[in-house]
Amino acid sequence: MNDILPGEVETWQFLEEQARRIFGLYGFCEIRVPVVEKTELFQRSIGETTDIVEKEMYTFRDKSDNSLTLRPEGTAPVIRAFIQNKLHTRDPIAKLFYMGPMFRYERPQKGRYRQFHQIGAEVIGVEDPKIDAQILTMLTHYFANVGIADVELQINSLGCPECRPGYRQALTGFLEKRLDALCDDCRRRYRTNPLRVVDCKVPGCKEATGGAPSVLDHLCGSCRGHFAGVQEHLREVGTAFTINERMVRGLDYYTKTTFEMVTSSLGSQNAVAAGGRYDGLIKDLGGPPLPGIGFAMGVERLVLMKGDTRIEPSSPELFLAALGEEATRYTFGLMSRLQRRGLHVEMDYEGKSLKAQLRRADKLMAKRVLIIGEEELARRQGQLRTMETSTQESIPLDNIEDFLMKDAALNR
Ligand code: ATP
Ligand code: MG
């Protein structure tokens, strides 16, 4: 679990602000849900035999002996909130986004942490493949906008309760003959959740499942039509994608369209965003039978991909350097008045020497410094110093606030 310090937090703020802005263009509203939920919510939605539920959840008992879990993902809590607050009675279509910490007890490594952060979005109430295409286009738009270029959108379809059993059977038949080549986890998955075997990152498993039957060859007519529709609409709007028929998501609730934004620049942690359709989930959790689709981006991975393109913390537009008690009192008042008018102003709080104050202004990368000593105060004059050029000019203190506001606006 990481601290996010000044110097890096600016990148986080940038990524979050852009999500708010871009998702807003597509009609999404923010929803904020608690970080703790009843354990059963995740067991019922993500699935008992998934990695998350089997071994990654932070689960504990509270003082009333309820089993609670720190949320490992955002979709189940958002759907829980949607149902509980009957959001479908307000609007038949809900477009919601969220951002915040998620918790999984995983082996920490680059791009994989125990507290990590996701920015995600969900659309509830639309079955048409146009909405799949919109979500994917929004995701692509977001990545282009924040300047992350090394990504590829991969899509797949996992079918529905009609056609998945047929695929599962074909796959089990295929795997049966190759059990010896699979890792321990996959031998277990073969029985509990065979689709996950196709997605295993272990080289031996990858090789053994090379010729595995494709889920796309087992789709029913309706799923096939839906998947064709998604591709057609993506082409219509020029959103680039590739089909990856081996992509199997790690959560049980997905149906039909699934997708990942994949990069080659983060080693084995190659998915920066992932999601899919979950048409049965809302009903399964006790809500109305509405379809849904959504995704989550891993913010730590976005930050890693942004790399060294550091976003500097904002520097003060003005630094006030005062010498002597009276001048300090004057500048302290002036600083507050300017801050209330919207200027980023700093000063020295501890009566240091002029040299030390100028050093501080330099360190903060202030654009201008207004120097006021007792003598300047008596003459109602200040010295306005431009840090970049080390030049100074004398300016009158009458009307100084208006002057400094205008000066800062010109320097922006
Ligand atoms: P992976 O295959 O990388 O384990 P996942 O299938 O478990 O990913 P999801 O549950 O779909 O991931 O979460 C969506 C995104 O959240 C991932 O694509 C990734 O960017 C990010 N993510 C997931 N788990 C972690 C983690 N432990 N630390 C950091 N980011 C994570
Ligand atoms: Mg995972």
Side-chain angles (χ1 to χ4, degrees), residues 38 44 71 95 98 119 188 245 277 291 304 329 366:
K38 288 192 180 136
R44 283 173 58 192
R71 62 180 186 193
K95 291 181 177 175
Y98 60 86
I119 301 177
R188 191 170 40 79
E245 57 194 11
R277 191 167 262 290
L304 280 170
R329 197 170 308 123

Side-chain angles (χ1 to χ4, degrees), residues 37-266:
E37 296 276 351
K38 288 192 180 136
T39 303
E40 98 188 5
L41 172 69
F42 301 112
Q43 287 169 335
R44 283 173 58 192
S45 56
I46 299 171
E48 294 278 7
T49 60
T50 57
D51 283 359
I52 295 181
V53 173
E54 269 181 353
K55 51 188 184 199
E56 295 175 356
M57 294 204 302
Y58 278 92
T59 297
F60 61 96
R61 297 216 164 253
D62 71 2
K63 290 192 200 307
S64 326
D65 211 30
N66 297 310
S67 180
L68 303 181
T69 293
L70 295 182
R71 62 180 186 193
E73 59 105 43
T75 301
V78 167
I79 299 305
R80 196 263 317 131
F82 173 88
I83 296 169
Q84 201 170 325
N85 296 286
K86 298 189 168 54
L87 291 188
H88 60 284
T89 60
R90 291 197 205 174
D91 189 335
I93 300 172
K95 291 181 177 175
L96 304 167
F97 77 88
Y98 60 86
M99 45 184 80
M102 307 292 160
F103 304 84
R104 295 185 197 175
Y105 192 81
E106 303 201 67
R107 193 166 67 81
Q109 54 198 285
K110 185 183 173 199
R112 196 179 290 292
Y113 311 99
R114 290 181 171 176
Q115 173 173 326
F116 63 101
H117 296 75
Q118 289 185 335
I119 301 177
E122 318 284 350
V123 179
I124 302 160
V126 188
E127 201 165 5
D128 194 284
K130 280 203 266 321
I131 202 72
D132 305 45
Q134 267 272 282
I135 283 252
L136 294 171
T137 300
M138 179 170 92
L139 197 55
T140 306
H141 183 172
Y142 178 80
F143 275 85
N145 190 265
V146 299
I148 297 180
D150 176 24
V151 281
E152 182 183 83
L153 172 63
Q154 299 186 348
I155 65 171
N156 194 19
S157 175
L158 290 184
C160 66
E162 291 289 303
C163 49
R164 183 113 37 101
Y167 175 61
R168 201 179 145 127
Q169 205 173 3
L171 187 62
T172 315
F174 172 89
L175 293 174
E176 201 179 357
K177 300 180 203 92
R178 291 161 181 84
L179 278 179
D180 290 344
L182 301 181
C183 70
D184 291 349
D185 273 344
C186 281
R187 273 201 291 273
R188 191 170 40 79
R189 287 178 189 135
Y190 161 76
R191 239 162 286 216
T192 56
N193 201 347
L195 266 67
R196 286 297 282 163
V197 178
V198 190
D199 193 42
C200 184
K201 310 277 186 330
V202 175
C205 298
K206 268 190 178 163
E207 204 179 310
T209 58
S214 164
V215 62
L216 296 179
D217 294 332
H218 290 81
L219 296 182
C220 62
S222 144
C223 287
R224 209 173 322 125
H226 189 273
F227 194 47
V230 174
Q231 296 173 56
E232 190 186 311
H233 295 310
L234 286 173
R235 282 193 204 99
E236 273 163 23
V237 296
T239 300
F241 65 93
T242 57
I243 293 176
N244 177 2
E245 57 194 11
R246 296 175 62 87
M247 183 213 308
V248 180
R249 307 281 313 118
L251 301 88
D252 277 357
Y253 51 62
Y254 287 122
T255 54
K256 293 186 181 153
T257 319
T258 52
F259 51 90
E260 287 187 350
M261 274 285 184
V262 204
T263 175
S264 53
S265 66
L266 292 181

Side-chain angles (χ1 to χ4, degrees), residues 334-364:
L334 179 61
M335 176 172 76
S336 299
R337 290 195 298 279
L338 289 168
Q339 286 165 333
R340 278 199 292 266
R341 288 179 66 170
L343 214 60
H344 180 177
V345 192
E346 296 261 0
M347 71 179 285
D348 157 54
Y349 301 97
E350 295 173 313
K352 298 226 175 71
S353 71
L354 180 61
K355 212 170 141 202
Q357 294 190 51
L358 288 178
R359 253 200 320 268
R360 176 90 188 132
D362 198 44
K363 183 173 163 53
L364 294 174

